Amino acid sequence: MPEEIDRPLRRDAQLNRERIVEAAREVFATRGLAATLDDVATHAGVGIGTVYRRFPTKEQLLEVAFEERLEQHAREIEAALRKPTGWDGLVSFLTRAAELHATDRGVRDIALGADLDARYFEIIRQRIYPLVEAIIDRAHAEGSLRADVTAGDVPLLLMMVSEVAHHSQAVRPEIFHRYLRLLIDGLRGDSDLGPPLTRPEVDALTRDWLPSGKPQR
Amino acid sequence: MPEEIDRPLRRDAQLNRERIVEAAREVFATRGLAATLDDVATHAGVGIGTVYRRFPTKEQLLEVAFEERLEQHAREIEAALRKPTGWDGLVSFLTRAAELHATDRGVRDIALGADLDARYFEIIRQRIYPLVEAIIDRAHAEGSLRADVTAGDVPLLLMMVSEVAHHSQAVRPEIFHRYLRLLIDGLRGDSDLGPPLTRPEVDALTRDWLPSGKPQR
DNA sequence: TCACAAGTGGAGGACACTCCTCAACTTCGG
DNA sequence: CCGAAGTTGAGGAGTGTCCTCCACTTGTGA
């Protein structure tokens, strides 16, 4: 019986593994999930083969590279729920999320729904969705958020803002705040928005929006 | 001397030419300027060689295919300038532009600045820019538009909205109106937007945003 | 009618990019 | 010091784009 023992890695191998994970964080942050494992290997200064040996699929690497980061994201959203008013909570959540997505394309791709099939991503999102809903509900309850905005609008709003952030990186990295502000101001408005997107619609749209996240295998 | 006479096309060649232009309109409308001449040829039911013989560069084809359409776009903007109030003009301009960009990705790519080097596109934009400025100025003058929004914001707003339009095509083609509405509501707001983008910044950003429009040659 | 200029088609070369394997080689550590 | 563990990156296979070229077809004017 060829026991599949998890023997500890040799010292040099362990070092390489860490280098790979670190490189992955950087590369995915700047290029999004579309970055190739070749990119990561080059950035880490190891051969491509080494990356494939350690992480046979992109998803496995993403999981290790993004675990902490996403965990912290979730905690920040929880913190927004504890803001004095619902409106403050909503604004600080949106701002924080936009900042995060602007800084780290990888987090954006995962949080906003790239590759909706990947098990790991799905788990993360299962944790985040209810928090977002709570934030929206709270703002609705206190009457500060227009009634016709739903939790399903959040991915769209963040998508729009992070698109601006992404494309303005080289020119004016912080300009996305301007357009986020404009949208936030709009959230107080009172014109007729028509029927909102349903959850499945949001998912379909998201899937289409983020081709950056179509890992192989 | 090999006179380069413009002899009239043979009857069949003329027909093919028209087919190609018509196919180009359809293909570029749905796929944006990223569509290949091969796509156009297939769609037109002619060989690739025929397309290249008639239109050696993509730009030449675009010029013929989009001339009318862009001309009409410009006229619609002029019409918005004649609306009773500056605000009406602004809203109807934004709405019309968003609708147009949602329907025709090609027009969007050209109007918003894809391939800023191409001479032909540049001429079109030279005509449109002042009109947009006039619309913004008029709304500013009557005080209905917040003072810190500039003409440079217009491409960004339209970019955001048309991104939504593009990615929601299959799901809810008209949902972009919702997010346009949200942004328009924000245009009445009064929070601090910070320093706006300058024209060169808008150009750089646009160039980066529309990879769909990097014609070859 | 028919010769020949005009026009056509699309296989295929050239290039770019991605994913991933594997066999020859290097290094660690008992 | 030697064998297992680890590394490497060229290269095969796949996808996709741009564009040329030439054998073939078709329209038309004499």
Side-chain angles (χ1 to χ4, degrees):
Chain A
M1 272 229 165
E3 288 281 318
E4 257 299 342
I5 300 276
D6 252 358
R7 73 181 70 254
L9 291 177
R10 232 167 63 178
R11 190 132 30 88
D12 56 338
Q14 180 58 37
L15 180 64
N16 274 341
R17 202 192 114 104
E18 276 154 26
R19 271 193 195 140
I20 291 168
V21 172
E22 192 44 46
R25 287 202 245 267
E26 289 165 21
V27 169
F28 288 128
T30 57
R31 305 242 246 280
L33 298 200
T36 68
L37 292 194
D38 293 49
D39 284 341
V40 174
T42 308
H43 203 80
V46 304
I48 313 139
T50 306
V51 174
Y52 277 97
R53 155 175 272 262
R54 216 48 75 201
F55 304 96
T57 71
K58 200 193 245 183
E59 207 191 316
Q60 282 171 54
L61 176 54
L62 289 172
E63 188 165 334
V64 174
F66 282 106
E67 193 159 37
E68 285 177 30
R69 220 160 271 209
L70 288 168
E71 185 53 39
Q72 204 204 321
H73 189 20
R75 277 201 303 274
E76 285 178 347
I77 303 179
E78 282 166 353
L81 267 173
R82 292 191 300 272
K83 286 270 168 178
T85 71
W87 179 254
D88 280 358
L90 175 61
V91 171
S92 91
F93 156 63
L94 286 176
T95 306
R96 191 68 200 101
E99 281 167 0
L100 206 76
H101 296 175
T103 322
D104 193 323
R105 300 242 303 134
V107 169
R108 172 192 109 133
D109 288 353
I110 298 173
L112 293 186
D115 199 24
L116 290 166
D117 310 312
R119 176 163 320 228
Y120 167 63
F121 298 160
E122 209 32 53
I123 293 172
I124 300 286
R125 283 190 290 264
Q126 290 308 328
R127 164 130 184 245
I128 290 182
Y129 283 162
L131 295 175
V132 172
E133 254 155 39
I135 284 184
I136 296 291
D137 288 350
R138 189 162 165 246
H140 273 157
E142 81 180 15
S144 53
L145 172 63
R146 57 196 295 172
D148 51 3
V149 164
T150 75
D153 289 318
V154 170
L156 274 282
L157 298 178
L158 289 174
M159 212 82 92
M160 284 190 274
V161 172
S162 65
E163 276 292 303
V164 172
H166 174 213
H167 295 288
S168 60
Q169 202 94 60
V171 171
R172 274 278 218 96
E174 77 318 329
I175 198 69
F176 69 89
H177 276 116
R178 181 180 180 86
Y179 300 96
L180 173 59
R181 192 76 249 164
L182 225 40
L183 284 166
I184 288 175
D185 285 356
L187 296 181
R188 298 264 200 190
D190 61 350
S191 44
D192 180 17
L193 287 187
L197 290 170
T198 64
R199 182 85 243 163
E201 285 175 333
V202 173
D203 285 351
L205 188 152
T206 299
R207 197 187 285 266
D208 180 77
W209 202 319
L210 299 170
S212 25
K214 282 181 185 156
Q216 51 292 13
R217 273 233 174 168
Chain B
M1 273 231 163
E3 288 282 318
E4 259 297 344
I5 299 276
D6 252 0
R7 74 181 71 253
L9 291 177
R10 230 167 63 177
R11 192 141 18 95
D12 56 339
Q14 179 58 35
L15 179 65
N16 275 340
R17 201 192 115 105
E18 275 154 27
R19 272 194 193 137
I20 290 168
V21 171
E22 192 44 46
R25 287 201 245 268
E26 288 165 22
V27 170
F28 289 126
T30 58
R31 304 243 246 282
L33 298 200
T36 68
L37 292 195
D38 293 49
D39 284 340
V40 174
T42 308
H43 204 81
V46 305
I48 312 138
T50 305
V51 174
Y52 278 97
R53 155 175 272 261
R54 214 48 75 202
F55 303 97
T57 72
K58 201 194 245 184
E59 206 191 317
Q60 282 171 54
L61 176 53
L62 289 172
E63 188 166 333
V64 174
F66 282 106
E67 192 160 37
E68 284 177 30
R69 221 162 270 211
L70 288 168
E71 184 54 39
Q72 205 203 323
H73 189 18
R75 276 199 304 273
E76 284 178 347
I77 303 179
E78 283 166 351
L81 267 172
R82 291 191 300 271
K83 285 271 168 179
T85 71
W87 180 255
D88 280 358
L90 175 61
V91 171
S92 91
F93 156 63
L94 286 176
T95 306
R96 192 66 200 102
E99 281 167 0
L100 206 75
H101 297 175
T103 322
D104 193 323
R105 300 243 302 133
V107 169
R108 173 192 108 133
D109 288 353
I110 297 173
L112 293 186
D115 197 25
L116 292 166
D117 309 311
R119 175 164 318 229
Y120 167 61
F121 298 161
E122 210 31 53
I123 292 171
I124 300 286
R125 283 190 291 264
Q126 291 308 328
R127 162 127 187 246
I128 291 182
Y129 283 162
L131 295 176
V132 172
E133 255 155 39
I135 284 184
I136 297 291
D137 289 350
R138 187 161 166 244
H140 273 157
E142 81 181 14
S144 53
L145 172 64
R146 57 195 294 171
D148 51 3
V149 163
T150 74
D153 289 318
V154 170
L156 274 282
L157 298 178
L158 289 175
M159 211 82 92
M160 285 191 273
V161 172
S162 66
E163 276 292 302
V164 172
H166 175 213
H167 295 288
S168 60
Q169 202 94 63
V171 171
R172 272 277 219 99
E174 78 316 332
I175 199 69
F176 70 88
H177 277 115
R178 182 180 179 87
Y179 300 95
L180 173 60
R181 192 77 248 162
L182 226 40
L183 284 166
I184 287 174
D185 285 356
L187 296 181
R188 296 264 202 190
D190 60 351
S191 45
D192 180 18
L193 287 187
L197 289 171
T198 64
R199 184 83 242 164
E201 284 175 333
V202 173
D203 286 351
L205 188 151
T206 300
R207 197 187 287 266
D208 181 78
W209 202 321
L210 299 171
S212 29
K214 283 182 183 153
Q216 52 291 8
R217 273 237 175 161

